[in-house]
PDB file of all heavy atoms in Angstrom:
ATOM      1  N   ALA A   1     142.318 120.862 232.982  1.00 97.00           N
ATOM      2  CA  ALA A   1     143.617 121.298 232.465  1.00 97.00           C
ATOM      3  C   ALA A   1     143.716 122.827 232.455  1.00 97.00           C
ATOM      4  O   ALA A   1     144.736 123.394 232.859  1.00 97.00           O
ATOM      5  CB  ALA A   1     143.842 120.737 231.058  1.00 97.00           C
ATOM      6  N   GLN A   2     142.652 123.498 232.014  1.00 97.00           N
ATOM      7  CA  GLN A   2     142.664 124.957 231.973  1.00 97.00           C
ATOM      8  C   GLN A   2     142.724 125.551 233.378  1.00 97.00           C
ATOM      9  O   GLN A   2     143.440 126.531 233.610  1.00 97.00           O
ATOM     10  CB  GLN A   2     141.414 125.474 231.246  1.00 97.00           C
ATOM     11  CG  GLN A   2     141.450 125.259 229.761  1.00 97.00           C
ATOM     12  CD  GLN A   2     142.541 126.090 229.108  1.00 97.00           C
ATOM     13  OE1 GLN A   2     142.532 127.308 229.176  1.00 97.00           O
ATOM     14  NE2 GLN A   2     143.490 125.433 228.471  1.00 97.00           N
ATOM     15  N   THR A   3     141.994 124.950 234.305  1.00 97.00           N
ATOM     16  CA  THR A   3     141.997 125.436 235.685  1.00 97.00           C
ATOM     17  C   THR A   3     143.386 125.303 236.300  1.00 97.00           C
ATOM     18  O   THR A   3     143.871 126.228 236.966  1.00 97.00           O
ATOM     19  CB  THR A   3     140.942 124.689 236.519  1.00 97.00           C
ATOM     20  OG1 THR A   3     139.648 124.917 235.926  1.00 97.00           O
ATOM     21  CG2 THR A   3     140.925 125.159 237.955  1.00 97.00           C
ATOM     22  N   ALA A   4     144.032 124.178 236.065  1.00 98.00           N
ATOM     23  CA  ALA A   4     145.391 123.982 236.595  1.00 98.00           C
ATOM     24  C   ALA A   4     146.357 125.002 235.999  1.00 98.00           C
ATOM     25  O   ALA A   4     147.200 125.569 236.715  1.00 98.00           O
ATOM     26  CB  ALA A   4     145.864 122.556 236.307  1.00 98.00           C
ATOM     27  N   LEU A   5     146.244 125.253 234.712  1.00 97.00           N
ATOM     28  CA  LEU A   5     147.103 126.239 234.052  1.00 97.00           C
ATOM     29  C   LEU A   5     146.864 127.639 234.622  1.00 97.00           C
ATOM     30  O   LEU A   5     147.815 128.377 234.902  1.00 97.00           O
ATOM     31  CB  LEU A   5     146.849 126.224 232.544  1.00 97.00           C
ATOM     32  CG  LEU A   5     147.654 127.191 231.698  1.00 97.00           C
ATOM     33  CD1 LEU A   5     149.150 126.917 231.816  1.00 97.00           C
ATOM     34  CD2 LEU A   5     147.200 127.109 230.249  1.00 97.00           C
ATOM     35  N   ILE A   6     145.612 127.989 234.816  1.00 96.00           N
ATOM     36  CA  ILE A   6     145.286 129.296 235.396  1.00 96.00           C
ATOM     37  C   ILE A   6     145.879 129.409 236.789  1.00 96.00           C
ATOM     38  O   ILE A   6     146.498 130.429 237.134  1.00 96.00           O
ATOM     39  CB  ILE A   6     143.755 129.501 235.422  1.00 96.00           C
ATOM     40  CG1 ILE A   6     143.238 129.741 233.996  1.00 96.00           C
ATOM     41  CG2 ILE A   6     143.373 130.662 236.343  1.00 96.00           C
ATOM     42  CD1 ILE A   6     141.726 129.698 233.870  1.00 96.00           C
ATOM     43  N   GLN A   7     145.712 128.382 237.602  1.00 97.00           N
ATOM     44  CA  GLN A   7     146.241 128.418 238.970  1.00 97.00           C
ATOM     45  C   GLN A   7     147.757 128.600 238.978  1.00 97.00           C
ATOM     46  O   GLN A   7     148.290 129.374 239.775  1.00 97.00           O
ATOM     47  CB  GLN A   7     145.841 127.151 239.735  1.00 97.00           C
ATOM     48  CG  GLN A   7     144.368 127.113 240.051  1.00 97.00           C
ATOM     49  CD  GLN A   7     143.906 125.767 240.584  1.00 97.00           C
ATOM     50  OE1 GLN A   7     144.606 124.761 240.506  1.00 97.00           O
ATOM     51  NE2 GLN A   7     142.702 125.739 241.116  1.00 97.00           N
ATOM     52  N   ARG A   8     148.457 127.883 238.091  1.00 97.00           N
ATOM     53  CA  ARG A   8     149.915 128.039 238.016  1.00 97.00           C
ATOM     54  C   ARG A   8     150.310 129.457 237.611  1.00 97.00           C
ATOM     55  O   ARG A   8     151.218 130.049 238.193  1.00 97.00           O
ATOM     56  CB  ARG A   8     150.516 127.031 237.025  1.00 97.00           C
ATOM     57  CG  ARG A   8     150.612 125.628 237.559  1.00 97.00           C
ATOM     58  CD  ARG A   8     151.478 124.738 236.678  1.00 97.00           C
ATOM     59  NE  ARG A   8     151.099 124.698 235.280  1.00 97.00           N
ATOM     60  CZ  ARG A   8     150.209 123.859 234.757  1.00 97.00           C
ATOM     61  NH1 ARG A   8     149.608 122.974 235.514  1.00 97.00           N
ATOM     62  NH2 ARG A   8     149.943 123.882 233.471  1.00 97.00           N
ATOM     63  N   ASN A   9     149.635 129.993 236.618  1.00 95.00           N
ATOM     64  CA  ASN A   9     149.985 131.333 236.145  1.00 95.00           C
ATOM     65  C   ASN A   9     149.661 132.408 237.172  1.00 95.00           C
ATOM     66  O   ASN A   9     150.429 133.370 237.325  1.00 95.00           O
ATOM     67  CB  ASN A   9     149.295 131.622 234.814  1.00 95.00           C
ATOM     68  CG  ASN A   9     149.984 130.914 233.671  1.00 95.00           C
ATOM     69  OD1 ASN A   9     151.200 130.798 233.653  1.00 95.00           O
ATOM     70  ND2 ASN A   9     149.209 130.425 232.721  1.00 95.00           N
ATOM     71  N   VAL A  10     148.563 132.275 237.874  1.00 96.00           N
ATOM     72  CA  VAL A  10     148.229 133.251 238.919  1.00 96.00           C
ATOM     73  C   VAL A  10     149.245 133.154 240.057  1.00 96.00           C
ATOM     74  O   VAL A  10     149.712 134.181 240.564  1.00 96.00           O
ATOM     75  CB  VAL A  10     146.783 133.048 239.423  1.00 96.00           C
ATOM     76  CG1 VAL A  10     146.519 133.864 240.680  1.00 96.00           C
ATOM     77  CG2 VAL A  10     145.780 133.430 238.326  1.00 96.00           C
ATOM     78  N   ALA A  11     149.612 131.938 240.438  1.00 96.00           N
ATOM     79  CA  ALA A  11     150.607 131.767 241.511  1.00 96.00           C
ATOM     80  C   ALA A  11     151.941 132.399 241.126  1.00 96.00           C
ATOM     81  O   ALA A  11     152.585 133.069 241.947  1.00 96.00           O
ATOM     82  CB  ALA A  11     150.788 130.288 241.825  1.00 96.00           C
ATOM     83  N   LYS A  12     152.367 132.214 239.878  1.00 96.00           N
ATOM     84  CA  LYS A  12     153.618 132.828 239.414  1.00 96.00           C
ATOM     85  C   LYS A  12     153.528 134.345 239.441  1.00 96.00           C
ATOM     86  O   LYS A  12     154.479 135.027 239.822  1.00 96.00           O
ATOM     87  CB  LYS A  12     153.957 132.346 237.999  1.00 96.00           C
ATOM     88  CG  LYS A  12     154.443 130.923 237.946  1.00 96.00           C
ATOM     89  CD  LYS A  12     154.702 130.513 236.508  1.00 96.00           C
ATOM     90  CE  LYS A  12     155.074 129.053 236.411  1.00 96.00           C
ATOM     91  NZ  LYS A  12     155.270 128.632 235.015  1.00 96.00           N
ATOM     92  N   ALA A  13     152.388 134.883 239.044  1.00 94.00           N
ATOM     93  CA  ALA A  13     152.210 136.331 239.049  1.00 94.00           C
ATOM     94  C   ALA A  13     152.241 136.876 240.477  1.00 94.00           C
ATOM     95  O   ALA A  13     152.847 137.930 240.726  1.00 94.00           O
ATOM     96  CB  ALA A  13     150.893 136.707 238.371  1.00 94.00           C
ATOM     97  N   ILE A  14     151.633 136.155 241.392  1.00 93.00           N
ATOM     98  CA  ILE A  14     151.651 136.588 242.793  1.00 93.00           C
ATOM     99  C   ILE A  14     153.076 136.578 243.325  1.00 93.00           C
ATOM    100  O   ILE A  14     153.490 137.503 244.032  1.00 93.00           O
ATOM    101  CB  ILE A  14     150.706 135.706 243.638  1.00 93.00           C
ATOM    102  CG1 ILE A  14     149.257 136.008 243.267  1.00 93.00           C
ATOM    103  CG2 ILE A  14     150.946 135.922 245.133  1.00 93.00           C
ATOM    104  CD1 ILE A  14     148.252 135.046 243.850  1.00 93.00           C
ATOM    105  N   GLN A  15     153.842 135.566 242.960  1.00 95.00           N
ATOM    106  CA  GLN A  15     155.250 135.497 243.389  1.00 95.00           C
ATOM    107  C   GLN A  15     156.049 136.686 242.864  1.00 95.00           C
ATOM    108  O   GLN A  15     156.906 137.214 243.565  1.00 95.00           O
ATOM    109  CB  GLN A  15     155.909 134.204 242.897  1.00 95.00           C
ATOM    110  CG  GLN A  15     155.676 133.028 243.785  1.00 95.00           C
ATOM    111  CD  GLN A  15     156.460 131.821 243.280  1.00 95.00           C
ATOM    112  OE1 GLN A  15     156.640 131.629 242.081  1.00 95.00           O
ATOM    113  NE2 GLN A  15     156.922 131.016 244.210  1.00 95.00           N
ATOM    114  N   ARG A  16     155.786 137.095 241.628  1.00 92.00           N
ATOM    115  CA  ARG A  16     156.504 138.234 241.062  1.00 92.00           C
ATOM    116  C   ARG A  16     156.151 139.519 241.801  1.00 92.00           C
ATOM    117  O   ARG A  16     156.979 140.415 241.919  1.00 92.00           O
ATOM    118  CB  ARG A  16     156.179 138.400 239.573  1.00 92.00           C
ATOM    119  CG  ARG A  16     156.871 137.422 238.684  1.00 92.00           C
ATOM    120  CD  ARG A  16     156.707 137.788 237.222  1.00 92.00           C
ATOM    121  NE  ARG A  16     155.332 137.827 236.778  1.00 92.00           N
ATOM    122  CZ  ARG A  16     154.654 136.804 236.273  1.00 92.00           C
ATOM    123  NH1 ARG A  16     155.241 135.621 236.170  1.00 92.00           N
ATOM    124  NH2 ARG A  16     153.409 136.935 235.884  1.00 92.00           N
ATOM    125  N   GLY A  17     154.909 139.618 242.240  1.00 92.00           N
ATOM    126  CA  GLY A  17     154.479 140.790 242.993  1.00 92.00           C
ATOM    127  C   GLY A  17     154.416 142.072 242.189  1.00 92.00           C
ATOM    128  O   GLY A  17     154.536 143.160 242.753  1.00 92.00           O
ATOM    129  N   ARG A  18     154.213 141.972 240.905  1.00 92.00           N
ATOM    130  CA  ARG A  18     154.178 143.166 240.050  1.00 92.00           C
ATOM    131  C   ARG A  18     152.741 143.656 239.877  1.00 92.00           C
ATOM    132  O   ARG A  18     151.839 142.887 239.562  1.00 92.00           O
ATOM    133  CB  ARG A  18     154.768 142.847 238.690  1.00 92.00           C
ATOM    134  CG  ARG A  18     156.254 142.527 238.768  1.00 92.00           C
ATOM    135  CD  ARG A  18     156.819 142.170 237.445  1.00 92.00           C
ATOM    136  NE  ARG A  18     156.350 143.091 236.401  1.00 92.00           N
ATOM    137  CZ  ARG A  18     156.806 143.091 235.174  1.00 92.00           C
ATOM    138  NH1 ARG A  18     157.749 142.243 234.819  1.00 92.00           N
ATOM    139  NH2 ARG A  18     156.342 143.939 234.290  1.00 92.00           N
ATOM    140  N   LEU A  19     152.544 144.931 240.072  1.00 92.00           N
ATOM    141  CA  LEU A  19     151.207 145.508 239.943  1.00 92.00           C
ATOM    142  C   LEU A  19     150.665 145.405 238.520  1.00 92.00           C
ATOM    143  O   LEU A  19     149.451 145.296 238.325  1.00 92.00           O
ATOM    144  CB  LEU A  19     151.212 146.966 240.395  1.00 92.00           C
ATOM    145  CG  LEU A  19     151.425 147.188 241.893  1.00 92.00           C
ATOM    146  CD1 LEU A  19     151.467 148.681 242.200  1.00 92.00           C
ATOM    147  CD2 LEU A  19     150.345 146.505 242.699  1.00 92.00           C
ATOM    148  N   ASP A  20     151.549 145.426 237.528  1.00 92.00           N
ATOM    149  CA  ASP A  20     151.070 145.360 236.148  1.00 92.00           C
ATOM    150  C   ASP A  20     150.553 143.975 235.761  1.00 92.00           C
ATOM    151  O   ASP A  20     149.979 143.805 234.694  1.00 92.00           O
ATOM    152  CB  ASP A  20     152.131 145.852 235.162  1.00 92.00           C
ATOM    153  CG  ASP A  20     153.420 145.053 235.198  1.00 92.00           C
ATOM    154  OD1 ASP A  20     153.727 144.454 236.240  1.00 92.00           O
ATOM    155  OD2 ASP A  20     154.132 145.049 234.179  1.00 92.00           O
ATOM    156  N   ASP A  21     150.725 142.965 236.636  1.00 92.00           N
ATOM    157  CA  ASP A  21     150.147 141.636 236.408  1.00 92.00           C
ATOM    158  C   ASP A  21     148.672 141.567 236.822  1.00 92.00           C
ATOM    159  O   ASP A  21     147.969 140.638 236.434  1.00 92.00           O
ATOM    160  CB  ASP A  21     150.907 140.565 237.196  1.00 92.00           C
ATOM    161  CG  ASP A  21     152.192 140.121 236.523  1.00 92.00           C
ATOM    162  OD1 ASP A  21     152.318 140.319 235.302  1.00 92.00           O
ATOM    163  OD2 ASP A  21     153.054 139.559 237.226  1.00 92.00           O
ATOM    164  N   ARG A  22     148.227 142.521 237.611  1.00 93.00           N
ATOM    165  CA  ARG A  22     146.869 142.451 238.169  1.00 93.00           C
ATOM    166  C   ARG A  22     145.756 142.340 237.134  1.00 93.00           C
ATOM    167  O   ARG A  22     144.852 141.519 237.311  1.00 93.00           O
ATOM    168  CB  ARG A  22     146.608 143.625 239.103  1.00 93.00           C
ATOM    169  CG  ARG A  22     147.164 143.379 240.461  1.00 93.00           C
ATOM    170  CD  ARG A  22     146.593 144.336 241.462  1.00 93.00           C
ATOM    171  NE  ARG A  22     147.218 144.071 242.747  1.00 93.00           N
ATOM    172  CZ  ARG A  22     147.226 144.900 243.736  1.00 93.00           C
ATOM    173  NH1 ARG A  22     146.631 146.075 243.605  1.00 93.00           N
ATOM    174  NH2 ARG A  22     147.807 144.591 244.860  1.00 93.00           N
ATOM    175  N   PRO A  23     145.749 143.132 236.078  1.00 92.00           N
ATOM    176  CA  PRO A  23     144.649 142.978 235.110  1.00 92.00           C
ATOM    177  C   PRO A  23     144.574 141.563 234.530  1.00 92.00           C
ATOM    178  O   PRO A  23     143.488 141.005 234.369  1.00 92.00           O
ATOM    179  CB  PRO A  23     144.969 144.010 234.028  1.00 92.00           C
ATOM    180  CG  PRO A  23     145.832 145.022 234.700  1.00 92.00           C
ATOM    181  CD  PRO A  23     146.627 144.260 235.717  1.00 92.00           C
ATOM    182  N   THR A  24     145.725 140.981 234.255  1.00 92.00           N
ATOM    183  CA  THR A  24     145.742 139.626 233.696  1.00 92.00           C
ATOM    184  C   THR A  24     145.308 138.599 234.731  1.00 92.00           C
ATOM    185  O   THR A  24     144.527 137.698 234.418  1.00 92.00           O
ATOM    186  CB  THR A  24     147.148 139.293 233.155  1.00 92.00           C
ATOM    187  OG1 THR A  24     147.486 140.250 232.148  1.00 92.00           O
ATOM    188  CG2 THR A  24     147.189 137.890 232.570  1.00 92.00           C
ATOM    189  N   THR A  25     145.802 138.722 235.952  1.00 95.00           N
ATOM    190  CA  THR A  25     145.400 137.749 236.978  1.00 95.00           C
ATOM    191  C   THR A  25     143.907 137.880 237.287  1.00 95.00           C
ATOM    192  O   THR A  25     143.241 136.865 237.520  1.00 95.00           O
ATOM    193  CB  THR A  25     146.237 137.870 238.262  1.00 95.00           C
ATOM    194  OG1 THR A  25     146.140 139.190 238.772  1.00 95.00           O
ATOM    195  CG2 THR A  25     147.682 137.500 238.016  1.00 95.00           C
ATOM    196  N   ASN A  26     143.378 139.090 237.265  1.00 95.00           N
ATOM    197  CA  ASN A  26     141.936 139.252 237.465  1.00 95.00           C
ATOM    198  C   ASN A  26     141.147 138.596 236.345  1.00 95.00           C
ATOM    199  O   ASN A  26     140.125 137.950 236.589  1.00 95.00           O
ATOM    200  CB  ASN A  26     141.565 140.733 237.585  1.00 95.00           C
ATOM    201  CG  ASN A  26     141.985 141.322 238.910  1.00 95.00           C
ATOM    202  OD1 ASN A  26     142.166 140.598 239.893  1.00 95.00           O
ATOM    203  ND2 ASN A  26     142.144 142.631 238.947  1.00 95.00           N
ATOM    204  N   LEU A  27     141.619 138.740 235.116  1.00 94.00           N
ATOM    205  CA  LEU A  27     140.974 138.092 233.973  1.00 94.00           C
ATOM    206  C   LEU A  27     141.027 136.575 234.132  1.00 94.00           C
ATOM    207  O   LEU A  27     140.026 135.879 233.945  1.00 94.00           O
ATOM    208  CB  LEU A  27     141.655 138.521 232.672  1.00 94.00           C
ATOM    209  CG  LEU A  27     141.100 137.939 231.386  1.00 94.00           C
ATOM    210  CD1 LEU A  27     139.704 138.472 231.107  1.00 94.00           C
ATOM    211  CD2 LEU A  27     142.030 138.284 230.231  1.00 94.00           C
ATOM    212  N   LEU A  28     142.195 136.056 234.497  1.00 95.00           N
ATOM    213  CA  LEU A  28     142.336 134.612 234.682  1.00 95.00           C
ATOM    214  C   LEU A  28     141.441 134.092 235.802  1.00 95.00           C
ATOM    215  O   LEU A  28     140.850 133.017 235.681  1.00 95.00           O
ATOM    216  CB  LEU A  28     143.794 134.253 234.957  1.00 95.00           C
ATOM    217  CG  LEU A  28     144.751 134.434 233.777  1.00 95.00           C
ATOM    218  CD1 LEU A  28     146.190 134.184 234.215  1.00 95.00           C
ATOM    219  CD2 LEU A  28     144.361 133.524 232.628  1.00 95.00           C
ATOM    220  N   ARG A  29     141.334 134.843 236.882  1.00 96.00           N
ATOM    221  CA  ARG A  29     140.442 134.429 237.983  1.00 96.00           C
ATOM    222  C   ARG A  29     138.989 134.393 237.511  1.00 96.00           C
ATOM    223  O   ARG A  29     138.222 133.504 237.893  1.00 96.00           O
ATOM    224  CB  ARG A  29     140.600 135.368 239.168  1.00 96.00           C
ATOM    225  CG  ARG A  29     141.888 135.151 239.924  1.00 96.00           C
ATOM    226  CD  ARG A  29     141.962 136.070 241.142  1.00 96.00           C
ATOM    227  NE  ARG A  29     143.180 135.851 241.880  1.00 96.00           N
ATOM    228  CZ  ARG A  29     144.151 136.747 242.002  1.00 96.00           C
ATOM    229  NH1 ARG A  29     144.036 137.947 241.436  1.00 96.00           N
ATOM    230  NH2 ARG A  29     145.235 136.472 242.702  1.00 96.00           N
ATOM    231  N   GLY A  30     138.604 135.340 236.676  1.00 96.00           N
ATOM    232  CA  GLY A  30     137.256 135.327 236.110  1.00 96.00           C
ATOM    233  C   GLY A  30     137.022 134.111 235.238  1.00 96.00           C
ATOM    234  O   GLY A  30     135.952 133.489 235.293  1.00 96.00           O
ATOM    235  N   PHE A  31     138.034 133.754 234.448  1.00 97.00           N
ATOM    236  CA  PHE A  31     137.920 132.543 233.629  1.00 97.00           C
ATOM    237  C   PHE A  31     137.795 131.313 234.512  1.00 97.00           C
ATOM    238  O   PHE A  31     137.014 130.395 234.220  1.00 97.00           O
ATOM    239  CB  PHE A  31     139.126 132.400 232.705  1.00 97.00           C
ATOM    240  CG  PHE A  31     139.155 133.371 231.559  1.00 97.00           C
ATOM    241  CD1 PHE A  31     140.331 133.586 230.875  1.00 97.00           C
ATOM    242  CD2 PHE A  31     138.030 134.072 231.156  1.00 97.00           C
ATOM    243  CE1 PHE A  31     140.377 134.465 229.801  1.00 97.00           C
ATOM    244  CE2 PHE A  31     138.060 134.953 230.101  1.00 97.00           C
ATOM    245  CZ  PHE A  31     139.247 135.159 229.414  1.00 97.00           C
ATOM    246  N   ALA A  32     138.561 131.258 235.603  1.00 97.00           N
ATOM    247  CA  ALA A  32     138.495 130.113 236.518  1.00 97.00           C
ATOM    248  C   ALA A  32     137.103 129.993 237.140  1.00 97.00           C
ATOM    249  O   ALA A  32     136.570 128.881 237.266  1.00 97.00           O
ATOM    250  CB  ALA A  32     139.562 130.242 237.603  1.00 97.00           C
TER     251      ALA A  32
END
């Protein structure tokens, strides 16, 4: 469940294309 949630949130952040999302997406990838 956590992995699926992380994948969805990272995909949404990539779609937004905002540089300020990078620290959070990097943290989420580490959790994954």
